[in-house]
Amino acid sequence: MSPFTMADTTVASSATTALPSSSSAYEADERIAARHAVNLADEKWRSLCTQHASTFVAAERRSVAIQKSLQELLIEIERETKPSVKRVGRALDPNYSANDGDDEEESDEDDDDEPVQPASVLLADVAEKHRLRRRTLMQHSSLLELLELPSLMDACVRSSLYEDALSIAGFANTLERRHLMEGGSSTSSGQQQQSEKKGGDKKQSNDSQPHKKGDVVAGVISEIRRREADLRRMLINRLRQDVTMPQCLEVVTALRRLNGVELERRNNSKGSSSSSSAADHDLEGVHAAMEMRLQVDFLEARDAWLEGGVTKIGSAQAAAVAASSSSSGDKGTSSGSSAQAEQILDGIERYRTRCFEIVTQFLAIFRGSFAPSTSSSTNNHDHSFSLLSMWTGRRVQTFLTTLSSNIVTHVNDTATLRDALDAASFFASSMGRVGADFQPLLAPIFEPRLTEMIQHHWNDGLNGMMETLKACRDAGVAGPLFGTETSSNMDGTDGSIDDGVEIMQSSRTPAPPRKLLALPPLARFLNAYLVGLNELRRCLLPGAFPAIRSAQSKLVADAKMALQANERAVLTPGLRGEAARLREIASKMKSEFDNCLEPYMTGCLEVALGSVDYAMAQAEKAHIAAEKVKAEKEALEKAKADAEAAEEAKAEALEKAKAEAEAIEKAKADALEKEVAEKLEKDAEPDEPKEALSSTNAEDDLIQSAADNPTEPQQAESDYFEDDDDGMYDSD
């Protein structure tokens, strides 16, 4: 326990014991609370001391170390300054003699080896130094300006005051030429004269004085040189930003002036050491190298600006767009693909504008800087163009590599592919104005991608057909493999209009074979095939025709193999379900594919590829087939109409004969009635002549012959009745 805590506890206990026993309960509670508070504070103080014990110990050790270091420093200062103090005291003491204080000199031989000069010499030296300091004080403002030149140039560099900064850099060359080169030669000649008059001790003192003066000027010049390097870095960094043509010209002009300052410094350093012709030749080479380095720095800085500003096609943003589109369904898919297309087109356009701007700036700035008067200038001119050509080739190759990788990754439809091709072709034609047209390099990038996209649709259709056949074969169900018959077959025709060559909707586009509606797997396969060909309508590249034809041949071969494998599988004994129907459909699908689907696919491919001769030949062939079918149909309809007319005529004849028979029966009945009536009349009149009886017999014979021949023309019967009536009337 600390003494403060113990004292507090003692005071508290004594106060507690001094309280009278008649104190109130309230005061006792306050004392108890105070006692508890004191105990809590004591415990808190102890915990804080324990917690920060290491800090207290470290502070104590640090104070001890500092005190020890200060004591050592005082001892060292005293030891170093004691000989000098003694020498100054001896020199300034007029009563001091060389023989006095021999004991002191013997004791200080190790500390003081320099001879003690007379007081007059020391006073003259002090007076000279005082005069120099007065002159320095009089030139204080000029010296301050000189010493502030580095900071002033730094301020100019930071404020983008290039003209002022370059003026300070040129003034540094003037300082170097006047005070370090000319002053060095004059001081060396003065030192030689002084060395002839005075001894070696005086020579050493004279050597140190110009050296100190040169150090100040050299320090200022070195600081300015550092600011020159900062200015160069700042100017080059300015080229890494978006600058216009006037700003770019200003920056390059400042860099050239900076190179001129460097050339002036080299000329000052080499002017006295070499001949004029050799120095001029060397400076020309240095200037050419500096100009080449300036061009390299320009292209590197603008290249960094190009890389930093161009949006990366297929970056993390495109990946995020693709992920969001895949998770949001069809609407998200369309929006994601459109966003990717816009990003690709924006990247190509920005790359085009920036590349063309860099090339234009380079040609405008550096092409006119070389005059073709000398051979060296011509060589530099060639080097500048070769440098630009190398940079342009590298940028074009980088663009093509990036475009190829991003097209494979993000372009999934021919519309986007066509837009990207148009943008890249415009980029190539724009670069062609500066001699860097790379349109022939675009075909190897876009043609394989177009073929892959078409093959993707075809393979999807083939895989769907194979999966459908396998699923129906495994389940033993034939329902999904056939559909309703076409309208032409239901009408009674043989469907010859649909085999092989179809009626053309136009002179170029063949109509789909409607008989395939009875075989849905083949119809869906054909739909997928036509979807792939429809992609060619948006982006048709002639260089991809051989690859597309070979892909179509491979697709037909694979489809035939799939149908053959399906036929072999359904012919396997033990097939469950509708085995007979499956076998019939498998055989029919194979025959329809060979006779109808394959020729139609070939024709559609040639029409899609723009084979005009083939398309016209197929159109003519289809027209002839259509005319033939039409003629056959008309002949069939005419024969059917004739047969119907014959049937109608026969029915009319039968009805007419029936009517005639009914008329004959009625006439016969009338005749019988008449005969009966006549017989009754005859019975009533016995004197009737014999001619009436003979006429009655003739009438009976006529009726009997009409009944035996019912198909006899009606005119004959009418004539007969007319004749009979005449006879009857004659007999009357």
Side-chain angles (χ1 to χ4, degrees):
M1 183 180 292
S2 64
F4 299 100
T5 307
M6 293 177 63
D8 295 338
T9 306
T10 304
V11 172
S13 61
S14 62
T16 305
T17 56
L19 288 175
S21 59
S22 61
S23 300
S24 62
Y26 179 74
E27 294 177 356
D29 292 340
E30 285 184 352
R31 288 194 298 269
I32 294 171
R35 189 182 300 111
H36 284 299
V38 169
N39 293 333
L40 290 175
D42 185 25
E43 291 178 0
K44 186 176 181 181
W45 182 81
R46 288 175 180 275
S47 62
L48 289 175
C49 290
T50 304
Q51 184 178 359
H52 299 284
S54 59
T55 305
F56 296 154
V57 173
E60 185 66 24
R61 290 177 179 176
R62 185 65 59 83
S63 63
V64 172
I66 291 174
Q67 290 178 2
K68 186 177 180 180
S69 299
L70 290 175
Q71 290 177 0
E72 292 178 355
L73 181 60
L74 290 174
I75 294 172
E76 184 68 22
I77 291 173
E78 184 178 359
R79 187 176 61 84
E80 292 292 336
T81 59
K82 186 177 180 180
S84 299
V85 172
K86 288 181 178 181
R87 285 197 303 272
V88 172
R90 292 170 187 173
L92 296 178
D93 188 6
N95 299 323
Y96 178 77
S97 61
N99 296 324
D100 297 338
D102 292 336
D103 297 335
E104 296 180 0
E105 289 182 359
E106 291 178 1
S107 60
D108 298 335
E109 285 179 358
D110 298 334
D111 298 334
D112 188 8
D113 295 334
E114 296 181 1
V116 179
Q117 296 180 358
S120 58
V121 177
L122 292 176
L123 291 175
D125 190 11
V126 172
E128 181 66 22
K129 291 180 180 179
H130 181 68
R131 186 178 61 82
L132 291 176
R133 290 188 181 94
R134 285 178 59 86
R135 291 181 58 187
T136 304
L137 183 60
M138 292 175 64
Q139 301 293 331
H140 176 266
S141 59
S142 301
L143 293 175
L144 186 61
E145 292 179 358
L146 177 64
L147 295 175
E148 287 180 351
L149 284 178
S151 59
L152 180 60
M153 185 174 180
D154 183 66
C156 293
V157 170
R158 294 178 183 275
S159 302
S160 300
L161 301 175
Y162 305 134
E163 296 293 333
D164 297 334
L166 291 171
S167 300
I168 295 173
F171 182 69
N173 289 339
T174 304
L175 287 176
E176 185 179 13
R177 183 176 63 254
R178 290 181 179 179
H179 296 279
L180 295 183
M181 297 179 180
E182 297 177 358
S185 60
S186 63
T187 53
S188 62
S189 61
Q191 288 173 7
Q192 291 177 1
Q193 294 176 0
Q194 291 176 2
S195 61
E196 294 176 356
K197 296 180 181 179
K198 299 181 180 180
D201 296 337
K202 189 68 177 177
K203 180 180 179 180
Q204 293 178 359
S205 62
N206 290 333
D207 290 337
S208 61
Q209 203 65 17
H211 181 69
K212 292 180 180 179
K213 181 176 67 175
D215 286 343
V216 175
V217 178
V220 173
I221 293 173
S222 64
E223 290 293 331
I224 293 176
R225 295 286 181 263
R226 295 194 191 96
R227 301 306 184 275
E228 288 181 11
D230 296 338
L231 176 61
R232 185 181 297 276
R233 284 193 297 269
M234 183 177 179
L235 291 173
I236 294 176
N237 188 39
R238 179 76 181 278
L239 293 175
R240 298 176 186 271
Q241 303 173 3
D242 188 10
V243 293
T244 60
M245 184 66 188
Q247 294 174 349
C248 189
L249 186 59
E250 179 185 1
V251 172
V252 173
T253 303
L255 288 172
R256 282 176 172 166
R257 287 189 59 186
L258 202 57
N259 290 337
V261 172
E262 179 68 20
L263 283 174
E264 183 182 358
R265 185 172 70 252
R266 289 175 178 268
N267 189 19
N268 293 336
S269 62
K270 295 183 179 181
S272 59
S273 60
S274 60
S275 61
S276 60
S277 60
D280 293 340
H281 181 72
D282 191 13
L283 287 178
E284 288 182 1
V286 172
H287 177 265
M290 286 183 175
E291 190 68 21
M292 181 60 67
R293 182 59 189 172
L294 178 60
Q295 295 174 10
V296 173
D297 292 339
F298 176 84
L299 291 178
E300 287 180 353
R302 303 305 287 163
D303 193 67
W305 170 68
L306 176 63
E307 287 290 342
V310 173
T311 303
K312 295 295 183 181
I313 311 170
S315 59
Q317 182 181 1
V321 171
S324 62
S325 63
S326 63
S327 62
S328 59
D330 297 337
K331 184 176 180 181
T333 302
S334 60
S335 62
S337 60
S338 62
Q340 293 175 6
E342 291 178 359
Q343 188 180 13
I344 291 173
L345 297 178
D346 182 68
I348 295 175
E349 180 64 19
R350 188 171 299 180
Y351 206 101
R352 180 192 69 82
T353 54
R354 297 203 172 195
C355 280
F356 189 74
E357 182 178 355
I358 292 172
V359 173
T360 304
Q361 290 175 353
F362 184 88
L363 292 176
I365 294 173
F366 296 103
R367 183 171 58 181
S369 61
F370 300 106
S373 58
T374 60
S375 60
S376 61
S377 299
T378 305
N379 293 332
N380 293 333
H381 190 61
D382 296 337
H383 289 322
S384 65
F385 275 107
S386 63
L387 182 63
L388 179 62
S389 177
M390 288 188 293
W391 180 86
T392 306
R394 184 175 65 85
R395 294 315 312 175
V396 168
Q397 187 63 33
T398 304
F399 168 75
L400 294 177
T401 303
T402 306
L403 181 65
S404 176
S405 62
N406 287 282
I407 281 178
V408 172
T409 305
H410 299 290
V411 177
N412 298 319
D413 59 310
T414 53
T416 306
L417 187 69
R418 181 66 186 181
D419 294 339
L421 177 60
D422 292 340
S425 300
F426 183 63
F427 180 20
S429 61
S430 299
M431 295 300 292
R433 286 182 285 177
V434 293
D437 191 356
F438 58 93
Q439 290 188 19
L441 300 178
L442 297 176
I445 297 176
F446 288 90
E447 291 173 356
R449 183 55 183 163
L450 176 63
T451 306
E452 290 175 1
M453 294 167 65
I454 296 174
Q455 286 180 343
H456 177 70
H457 292 287
W458 292 355
N459 293 332
D460 288 345
L462 179 60
N463 294 332
M465 184 182 70
M466 294 173 64
E467 291 175 359
T468 302
L469 295 177
K470 185 177 183 302
C472 294
R473 186 173 64 247
D474 295 340
V477 178
L481 300 180
F482 66 92
T484 58
E485 296 292 334
T486 58
S487 59
S488 60
N489 291 335
M490 293 178 65
D491 292 339
T493 60
D494 58 352
S496 61
I497 192 173
D498 290 331
D499 57 350
V501 180
E502 302 291 336
I503 296 177
M504 307 297 283
Q505 293 178 348
S506 65
S507 61
R508 300 282 179 90
T509 305
R514 298 183 60 84
K515 64 190 305 183
L516 291 180
L517 294 174
L519 301 172
L522 290 181
R524 285 192 290 269
F525 172 72
L526 180 59
N527 287 338
Y529 178 80
L530 294 178
V531 168
L533 291 182
N534 286 334
E535 297 291 340
L536 293 174
R537 300 174 62 184
R538 302 176 181 176
C539 183
L540 185 62
L541 300 178
F545 288 178
I548 294 175
R549 286 193 174 94
S550 62
Q552 193 262 352
S553 302
K554 184 177 181 300
L555 178 68
V556 171
D558 294 341
K560 287 183 177 180
M561 291 180 61
L563 294 176
Q564 291 177 0
N566 178 63
E567 187 178 14
R568 287 195 300 267
V570 298
L571 291 177
T572 304
L575 184 66
R576 63 178 182 177
E578 303 175 359
R581 187 63 174 168
L582 288 173
R583 291 172 182 142
E584 179 185 357
I585 293 175
S587 177
K588 186 177 180 181
M589 289 177 65
K590 183 179 177 182
S591 61
E592 289 295 338
F593 186 88
D594 294 336
N595 299 328
C596 177
L597 187 58
E598 184 179 359
Y600 179 76
M601 290 171 62
T602 304
C604 289
L605 177 63
E606 295 300 330
V607 171
L609 297 183
S611 299
V612 180
D613 297 337
Y614 181 85
M616 296 303 295
Q618 291 295 327
E620 185 67 23
K621 187 176 179 180
H623 182 70
I624 294 173
E627 292 292 336
K628 182 178 179 181
V629 171
K630 184 177 180 181
E632 292 177 357
K633 187 175 181 179
E634 290 178 353
L636 184 62
E637 291 178 354
K638 184 177 180 181
K640 185 177 180 180
D642 294 341
E644 291 178 354
E647 291 292 336
E648 291 178 357
K650 186 176 180 180
E652 290 178 357
L654 290 175
E655 291 179 357
K656 187 175 181 181
K658 185 177 180 180
E660 290 177 354
E662 291 178 354
I664 291 172
E665 290 292 335
K666 185 177 181 181
K668 187 176 180 180
D670 294 339
L672 289 175
E673 291 178 356
K674 188 176 181 181
E675 183 180 359
V676 171
E678 289 178 355
K679 187 176 180 180
L680 292 175
E681 290 178 357
K682 186 178 180 181
D683 291 339
E685 297 177 1
D687 296 333
E688 187 177 356
K690 296 181 179 180
E691 289 81 5
L693 181 62
S694 62
S695 63
T696 304
N697 294 330
E699 182 179 357
D700 294 336
D701 294 336
L702 181 60
I703 293 171
Q704 186 65 30
S705 63
D708 294 336
N709 298 318
T711 59
E712 188 175 357
Q714 187 176 2
Q715 183 66 31
E717 292 180 0
S718 63
D719 294 339
Y720 172 76
F721 284 111
E722 291 176 359
D723 294 341
D724 183 69
D725 292 339
D726 294 337
M728 290 177 66
Y729 295 149
D730 291 339
S731 63
D732 292 339

